[in-house]
Amino acid sequence: MAEYRDIYWWSADGLRLHARDYPGADDAPPVLCLPGLTRNARDFAPVAQAIAPRRRVIAVEFRGRGESGYAKDPMTYVPLTYAQDVVALLAEQKIDRFASIGTSLGGIVTMLLAGMLPARMAGALLNDVGPEIEATGLSRIRSYVGKPSTWPTWMHAARGVQESNAGAYPGWTIEQWLAMAKRLYRLNSAGRIVLDYDMKIAEPFRLPGGEAGPDMWRALAALAGVPVLVVRGQISDILSAAVADRMVAALPGAELVTVPGIGHAPMLDEPEVQPALTNWLARSAEPLG
Protein backbone atom coordinates (compact mmCIF):
# COMPACT_ATOMS: atom_id res chain seq x y z
CA MET A 1 0.00 0.00 0.00
CA ALA A 2 1.44 3.35 -1.04
CA GLU A 3 2.26 5.70 1.81
CA TYR A 4 1.79 9.45 1.68
CA ARG A 5 3.15 12.51 3.42
CA ASP A 6 1.14 15.55 4.39
CA ILE A 7 2.08 18.75 2.58
CA TYR A 8 0.86 22.25 3.34
CA TRP A 9 0.98 25.53 1.45
CA TRP A 10 -0.47 29.02 1.75
CA SER A 11 -3.16 30.62 -0.38
CA ALA A 12 -2.91 34.20 -1.62
CA ASP A 13 -5.35 35.28 1.11
CA GLY A 14 -3.43 33.57 3.90
CA LEU A 15 -5.13 30.17 4.32
CA ARG A 16 -3.04 27.14 5.21
CA LEU A 17 -4.04 24.41 2.79
CA HIS A 18 -3.42 20.67 2.86
CA ALA A 19 -2.83 17.79 0.48
CA ARG A 20 -1.68 14.20 0.63
CA ASP A 21 1.49 13.60 -1.38
CA TYR A 22 2.04 10.03 -2.59
CA PRO A 23 5.64 9.74 -3.85
CA GLY A 24 6.31 8.27 -7.27
CA ALA A 25 8.65 8.25 -10.23
CA ASP A 26 9.72 11.71 -11.40
CA ASP A 27 10.04 10.82 -15.09
CA ALA A 28 6.40 11.80 -15.80
CA PRO A 29 4.18 14.70 -14.73
CA PRO A 30 2.59 14.23 -11.30
CA VAL A 31 -1.14 13.58 -11.04
CA LEU A 32 -3.31 15.98 -9.06
CA CYS A 33 -6.55 14.59 -7.61
CA LEU A 34 -9.21 17.24 -7.07
CA PRO A 35 -12.33 16.25 -5.07
CA GLY A 36 -16.03 16.98 -5.21
CA LEU A 37 -17.90 19.74 -3.40
CA THR A 38 -18.16 18.19 0.07
CA ARG A 39 -15.28 15.75 -0.27
CA ASN A 40 -11.59 15.65 0.66
CA ALA A 41 -8.30 13.86 -0.02
CA ARG A 42 -9.54 10.62 1.54
CA ASP A 43 -11.79 10.07 -1.49
CA PHE A 44 -8.74 9.37 -3.64
CA ALA A 45 -6.88 6.92 -1.40
CA PRO A 46 -7.67 3.83 -3.55
CA VAL A 47 -6.86 5.65 -6.81
CA ALA A 48 -3.66 7.18 -5.44
CA GLN A 49 -2.47 3.85 -4.07
CA ALA A 50 -3.13 2.22 -7.45
CA ILE A 51 -1.15 4.89 -9.34
CA ALA A 52 1.79 5.39 -6.96
CA PRO A 53 4.70 4.65 -7.05
CA ARG A 54 4.58 4.71 -10.87
CA ARG A 55 3.59 8.39 -10.67
CA ARG A 56 3.62 10.99 -7.95
CA VAL A 57 0.04 11.70 -6.83
CA ILE A 58 -1.11 14.77 -4.90
CA ALA A 59 -4.62 14.53 -3.45
CA VAL A 60 -5.74 18.08 -2.74
CA GLU A 61 -8.11 19.30 -0.05
CA PHE A 62 -9.81 22.50 -1.17
CA ARG A 63 -10.16 25.32 1.34
CA GLY A 64 -12.82 24.54 3.91
CA ARG A 65 -12.38 20.77 3.69
CA GLY A 66 -10.44 18.23 5.72
CA GLU A 67 -7.20 19.66 7.11
CA SER A 68 -7.29 22.78 4.92
CA GLY A 69 -8.15 26.06 6.62
CA TYR A 70 -11.66 27.48 6.67
CA ALA A 71 -12.07 30.76 4.80
CA LYS A 72 -13.07 33.94 6.63
CA ASP A 73 -14.98 35.04 3.53
CA PRO A 74 -17.38 32.28 2.39
CA MET A 75 -17.64 33.92 -1.03
CA THR A 76 -14.14 32.58 -1.73
CA TYR A 77 -15.64 29.09 -1.81
CA VAL A 78 -15.90 29.21 -5.60
CA PRO A 79 -14.16 27.26 -8.40
CA LEU A 80 -11.94 30.13 -9.56
CA THR A 81 -10.49 30.57 -6.06
CA TYR A 82 -9.95 26.81 -5.74
CA ALA A 83 -8.07 26.92 -9.06
CA GLN A 84 -5.92 29.80 -7.83
CA ASP A 85 -5.15 27.82 -4.68
CA VAL A 86 -4.00 24.89 -6.84
CA VAL A 87 -1.79 27.23 -8.89
CA ALA A 88 -0.18 28.31 -5.60
CA LEU A 89 0.42 24.64 -4.75
CA LEU A 90 2.08 24.06 -8.12
CA ALA A 91 4.36 27.03 -7.51
CA GLU A 92 5.24 25.94 -3.97
CA GLN A 93 6.03 22.40 -5.13
CA LYS A 94 7.86 23.67 -8.26
CA ILE A 95 5.65 21.56 -10.53
CA ASP A 96 5.74 22.55 -14.20
CA ARG A 97 3.53 20.06 -16.05
CA PHE A 98 0.83 18.01 -14.36
CA ALA A 99 -2.15 15.78 -15.07
CA SER A 100 -5.42 16.24 -13.22
CA ILE A 101 -8.13 13.86 -12.06
CA GLY A 102 -11.18 15.91 -11.12
CA THR A 103 -14.39 14.53 -9.64
CA SER A 104 -17.46 16.76 -9.91
CA LEU A 105 -16.31 20.17 -8.56
CA GLY A 106 -12.75 18.96 -9.04
CA GLY A 107 -13.49 18.47 -12.73
CA ILE A 108 -14.73 22.06 -13.01
CA VAL A 109 -11.49 23.23 -11.37
CA THR A 110 -9.55 21.02 -13.79
CA MET A 111 -11.22 22.72 -16.76
CA LEU A 112 -10.45 26.15 -15.29
CA LEU A 113 -6.81 25.15 -14.79
CA ALA A 114 -6.64 24.10 -18.43
CA GLY A 115 -7.78 27.58 -19.41
CA MET A 116 -5.33 29.23 -17.02
CA LEU A 117 -2.31 26.99 -17.70
CA PRO A 118 -2.89 25.36 -21.10
CA ALA A 119 0.77 24.60 -21.80
CA ARG A 120 1.22 22.90 -18.43
CA MET A 121 -1.68 20.43 -18.55
CA ALA A 122 -0.45 16.92 -19.42
CA GLY A 123 -3.83 15.21 -19.18
CA ALA A 124 -7.30 15.53 -17.68
CA LEU A 125 -9.72 12.95 -16.29
CA LEU A 126 -13.16 14.50 -15.81
CA ASN A 127 -15.21 12.31 -13.49
CA ASP A 128 -18.97 12.75 -13.93
CA VAL A 129 -18.91 16.44 -14.70
CA GLY A 130 -18.88 18.66 -17.75
CA PRO A 131 -19.46 22.23 -18.94
CA GLU A 132 -23.21 21.85 -18.36
CA ILE A 133 -24.69 20.44 -15.15
CA GLU A 134 -28.13 18.88 -14.99
CA ALA A 135 -30.71 20.92 -13.04
CA THR A 136 -31.98 17.82 -11.24
CA GLY A 137 -28.56 17.08 -9.79
CA LEU A 138 -27.94 20.68 -8.81
CA SER A 139 -31.25 20.77 -6.97
CA ARG A 140 -30.38 17.56 -5.14
CA ILE A 141 -26.98 18.88 -4.04
CA ARG A 142 -28.38 22.23 -2.94
CA SER A 143 -30.91 20.35 -0.79
CA TYR A 144 -28.21 18.93 1.49
CA VAL A 145 -24.95 20.88 1.19
CA GLY A 146 -24.24 23.04 4.22
CA LYS A 147 -26.71 21.24 6.47
CA PRO A 148 -24.89 19.76 9.48
CA SER A 149 -25.48 16.18 10.51
CA THR A 150 -23.97 14.29 13.41
CA TRP A 151 -24.01 10.65 14.45
CA PRO A 152 -23.13 8.73 17.61
CA THR A 153 -21.38 5.81 15.84
CA TRP A 154 -19.80 5.07 12.48
CA MET A 155 -22.52 2.55 11.70
CA HIS A 156 -25.18 5.21 12.26
CA ALA A 157 -23.23 7.49 9.91
CA ALA A 158 -22.99 4.72 7.31
CA ARG A 159 -26.74 4.17 7.43
CA GLY A 160 -27.32 7.91 7.06
CA VAL A 161 -25.02 8.08 4.04
CA GLN A 162 -26.80 5.08 2.55
CA GLU A 163 -30.19 6.70 2.99
CA SER A 164 -29.00 9.84 1.19
CA ASN A 165 -27.07 8.16 -1.62
CA ALA A 166 -28.72 4.81 -2.29
CA GLY A 167 -30.04 6.05 -5.62
CA ALA A 168 -26.52 6.64 -6.91
CA TYR A 169 -25.07 3.33 -5.72
CA PRO A 170 -27.96 0.84 -5.69
CA GLY A 171 -25.75 -2.23 -5.41
CA TRP A 172 -23.48 -1.15 -2.57
CA THR A 173 -22.85 -3.22 0.55
CA ILE A 174 -22.81 -1.90 4.11
CA GLU A 175 -19.00 -2.15 4.02
CA GLN A 176 -18.94 0.28 1.10
CA TRP A 177 -21.30 2.66 2.89
CA LEU A 178 -19.12 2.53 5.98
CA ALA A 179 -16.05 3.35 3.88
CA MET A 180 -17.86 6.32 2.35
CA ALA A 181 -18.92 7.55 5.78
CA LYS A 182 -15.29 7.54 6.91
CA ARG A 183 -14.37 9.63 3.86
CA LEU A 184 -17.17 12.15 4.45
CA TYR A 185 -17.11 12.45 8.24
CA ARG A 186 -14.63 12.90 11.08
CA LEU A 187 -14.73 12.37 14.83
CA ASN A 188 -14.92 15.68 16.71
CA SER A 189 -13.59 16.55 20.17
CA ALA A 190 -16.96 15.74 21.74
CA GLY A 191 -16.90 12.21 20.36
CA ARG A 192 -19.55 12.87 17.73
CA ILE A 193 -19.16 11.97 14.06
CA VAL A 194 -19.56 15.15 11.98
CA LEU A 195 -19.20 16.23 8.36
CA ASP A 196 -15.62 17.16 7.50
CA TYR A 197 -16.18 20.50 5.80
CA ASP A 198 -17.12 24.10 6.54
CA MET A 199 -20.91 24.43 6.30
CA LYS A 200 -20.39 27.87 4.73
CA ILE A 201 -19.22 26.30 1.44
CA ALA A 202 -22.93 26.23 0.59
CA GLU A 203 -23.34 30.01 0.56
CA PRO A 204 -21.96 30.81 -2.93
CA PHE A 205 -23.12 27.45 -4.30
CA ARG A 206 -26.71 28.41 -3.63
CA LEU A 207 -26.41 31.51 -5.83
CA PRO A 208 -27.27 31.27 -9.55
CA GLY A 209 -24.16 30.13 -11.40
CA GLY A 210 -22.28 29.47 -8.15
CA GLU A 211 -21.57 25.88 -9.13
CA ALA A 212 -19.24 26.81 -12.01
CA GLY A 213 -18.51 30.36 -13.13
CA PRO A 214 -17.45 31.45 -16.61
CA ASP A 215 -18.23 29.79 -19.94
CA MET A 216 -17.15 26.24 -19.17
CA TRP A 217 -17.30 25.12 -22.81
CA ARG A 218 -14.51 27.59 -23.50
CA ALA A 219 -12.56 26.18 -20.55
CA LEU A 220 -13.10 22.65 -21.88
CA ALA A 221 -11.79 23.73 -25.30
CA ALA A 222 -8.43 24.48 -23.66
CA LEU A 223 -8.02 20.70 -23.28
CA ALA A 224 -7.82 20.23 -27.07
CA GLY A 225 -4.72 18.20 -27.88
CA VAL A 226 -4.43 16.93 -24.28
CA PRO A 227 -5.20 13.30 -23.32
CA VAL A 228 -8.72 13.47 -21.89
CA LEU A 229 -10.80 10.72 -20.28
CA VAL A 230 -14.43 11.43 -19.44
CA VAL A 231 -15.99 9.04 -16.92
CA ARG A 232 -19.76 9.08 -16.48
CA GLY A 233 -22.08 7.20 -14.18
CA GLN A 234 -24.85 5.65 -16.26
CA ILE A 235 -27.58 6.96 -13.95
CA SER A 236 -25.86 10.27 -13.15
CA ASP A 237 -28.07 13.27 -12.49
CA ILE A 238 -25.12 15.68 -12.95
CA LEU A 239 -23.57 14.75 -16.32
CA SER A 240 -26.06 13.77 -19.01
CA ALA A 241 -25.21 11.31 -21.77
CA ALA A 242 -25.81 14.06 -24.34
CA VAL A 243 -23.33 16.47 -22.73
CA ALA A 244 -20.74 13.70 -22.31
CA ASP A 245 -21.05 12.88 -26.03
CA ARG A 246 -20.65 16.58 -26.91
CA MET A 247 -17.52 16.79 -24.76
CA VAL A 248 -15.87 13.88 -26.53
CA ALA A 249 -16.92 15.22 -29.94
CA ALA A 250 -15.36 18.59 -29.08
CA LEU A 251 -12.02 17.04 -28.07
CA PRO A 252 -10.53 14.76 -30.75
CA GLY A 253 -8.86 11.79 -29.11
CA ALA A 254 -10.89 12.05 -25.92
CA GLU A 255 -12.36 8.82 -24.52
CA LEU A 256 -15.67 8.27 -22.76
CA VAL A 257 -16.30 5.48 -20.27
CA THR A 258 -19.78 4.95 -18.84
CA VAL A 259 -20.03 2.98 -15.60
CA PRO A 260 -23.24 0.91 -15.58
CA GLY A 261 -25.61 1.08 -12.63
CA ILE A 262 -23.79 4.00 -10.95
CA GLY A 263 -24.90 7.58 -10.45
CA HIS A 264 -22.93 10.61 -9.29
CA ALA A 265 -20.09 9.91 -9.10
CA PRO A 266 -18.05 6.81 -9.96
CA MET A 267 -15.29 6.03 -7.47
CA LEU A 268 -12.81 5.31 -10.33
CA ASP A 269 -12.01 1.84 -8.95
CA GLU A 270 -14.78 0.19 -10.99
CA PRO A 271 -13.60 -2.54 -13.41
CA GLU A 272 -15.03 -0.63 -16.38
CA VAL A 273 -12.75 2.31 -15.59
CA GLN A 274 -9.47 0.47 -15.00
CA PRO A 275 -8.29 -0.16 -18.61
CA ALA A 276 -9.16 3.38 -19.67
CA LEU A 277 -7.44 4.82 -16.60
CA THR A 278 -4.29 2.82 -17.31
CA ASN A 279 -4.30 4.03 -20.92
CA TRP A 280 -4.90 7.63 -19.87
CA LEU A 281 -2.02 7.48 -17.39
CA ALA A 282 0.30 6.21 -20.13
CA ARG A 283 -0.80 8.93 -22.57
CA SER A 284 -0.46 11.69 -19.97
CA ALA A 285 3.08 10.54 -19.21
CA GLU A 286 4.25 11.08 -22.78
CA PRO A 287 6.59 14.05 -23.38
CA LEU A 288 5.42 17.05 -25.36
CA GLY A 289 5.85 16.80 -29.13
Side-chain angles (χ1 to χ4, degrees):
M1 181 178 293
E3 298 294 330
Y4 65 87
R5 67 186 181 104
D6 294 305
I7 59 173
Y8 299 89
W9 77 102
W10 294 93
S11 70
D13 58 345
L15 279 184
R16 187 172 185 253
L17 304 174
H18 170 258
R20 290 182 174 185
D21 187 0
Y22 296 79
D26 59 4
D27 59 351
V31 177
L32 301 186
C33 292
L34 307 180
L37 180 67
T38 63
R39 314 301 279 264
N40 55 63
R42 297 192 294 277
D43 251 12
F44 290 105
V47 172
Q49 288 162 0
I51 296 173
R54 293 173 292 159
R55 297 274 287 275
R56 182 186 182 189
V57 179
I58 301 176
V60 173
E61 288 184 325
F62 293 138
R63 57 176 58 209
R65 285 80 164 175
E67 294 183 45
S68 286
Y70 286 15
K72 292 181 180 178
D73 179 5
M75 298 314 292
T76 64
Y77 289 135
V78 292
L80 182 58
T81 306
Y82 302 140
Q84 292 167 341
D85 290 345
V86 173
V87 172
L89 168 65
L90 296 171
E92 196 276 336
Q93 290 292 312
K94 298 179 172 59
I95 293 170
D96 182 18
R97 296 183 70 234
F98 63 96
S100 181
I101 297 175
T103 293
S104 196
L105 169 64
I108 292 171
V109 175
T110 294
M111 288 184 274
L112 292 176
L113 288 169
M116 296 163 69
L117 308 170
R120 297 172 64 181
M121 183 74 73
L125 190 162
L126 303 176
N127 183 20
D128 213 59
V129 70
E132 296 179 23
I133 300 174
E134 293 297 287
T136 301
L138 279 178
S139 177
R140 176 180 57 81
I141 293 171
R142 287 187 172 120
S143 73
Y144 71 76
V145 67
K147 294 181 179 178
S149 63
T150 69
W151 305 100
T153 71
W154 282 111
M155 190 55 68
H156 283 89
R159 292 299 187 191
V161 172
Q162 180 182 18
E163 183 176 337
S164 301
N165 296 275
Y169 308 101
W172 270 24
T173 65
I174 188 58
E175 289 78 15
Q176 288 171 298
W177 292 118
L178 185 59
M180 178 178 272
K182 290 186 176 181
R183 291 191 293 266
L184 277 168
Y185 288 82
R186 62 177 173 83
L187 190 66
N188 72 7
S189 58
R192 297 286 296 185
I193 294 162
V194 298
L195 288 165
D196 198 9
Y197 67 86
D198 183 357
M199 297 300 112
K200 292 181 180 179
I201 67 170
E203 293 188 20
F205 186 76
R206 288 181 177 141
L207 299 175
E211 69 280 354
D215 179 0
M216 295 307 298
W217 282 105
R218 176 183 286 185
L220 181 77
L223 290 169
V226 171
V228 173
L229 173 60
V230 179
V231 177
R232 177 180 178 270
Q234 181 189 25
I235 55 175
S236 173
D237 61 357
I238 291 292
L239 177 61
S240 71
V243 170
D245 288 340
R246 281 182 61 194
M247 292 167 68
V248 174
L251 298 170
E255 182 180 0
L256 171 63
V257 173
T258 300
V259 183
I262 292 292
H264 184 73
M267 302 306 298
L268 302 179
D269 60 358
E270 296 87 358
E272 297 83 3
V273 176
Q274 294 311 299
L277 176 60
T278 298
N279 180 57
W280 176 80
L281 286 167
R283 293 172 63 208
S284 68
E286 294 173 359
L288 285 172

